[in-house]
Amino acid sequence: MAFLTTIGSEIRSELRRNWGWILAAGIVMLLAGILAFGNVLMATVASVYYVGVLMVIGGIAQLVQVFYATGWGRLYWLLGGVLYTLAGILTFFNPLLAASILTLFLGAALVAGGVLRIVLAWRVDPDLGKWWLVAAGVITLLAGLVILFGWPVNSLYILGLLLAIDLMFQGWAAIFLAFAARKGLPE
């Protein structure tokens, strides 16, 4: 427990020392979120390009692994690397199609996650917050259904909208953290 206390005081000390930078980062994220909210189509395209870059990097990493694998492992890494790299490159040629596919996957993932949360919540004791877990599952499920029922039209804006919302919340969280750190966090 003393180890955790030491880590906690080190983090508090670092937060106090860097509160200005945290505030600046929060303001930048908040402004980026507002900018993304002002043009969700461009934010969607930017999100797709970001995912495309990550897929190309992941694909290249898998292709490098081909040289270190043996037997069937080589085929696994080769196929995975080629698919990832090609999918990443295709996002740059048709970002709106990629946005449509990503939005469809997002909606399906939210539906599956919501159903899973609801099912698992039924196993939780009501005294431990069972109904909060059920409510969270229902909200996740409904968010997925809204995305799926609006698909493919909402593919033009849903990813950008989520990016904008995330940037704004992260910005506000960093701003509040900076002010709390400046004021002095309790030990």
Side-chain angles (χ1 to χ4, degrees), residues 85-109:
T85 304
L86 286 176
I89 291 170
L90 289 175
T91 63
F92 295 104
F93 289 111
N94 196 340
L96 296 181
L97 175 62
S100 181
I101 292 167
L102 289 171
T103 302
L104 179 63
F105 285 157
L106 174 63

Side-chain angles (χ1 to χ4, degrees), residues 145-181:
L145 290 174
V146 166
I147 289 171
L148 290 178
F149 288 139
W151 187 84
V153 175
N154 63 3
S155 300
L156 296 175
Y157 64 85
I158 200 74
L159 297 175
L161 182 64
L162 293 174
L163 174 64
I165 291 168
D166 182 62
L167 282 169
M168 288 191 295
F169 273 99
Q170 292 300 324
W172 279 118
I175 290 168
F176 289 132
L177 177 64
F179 284 133

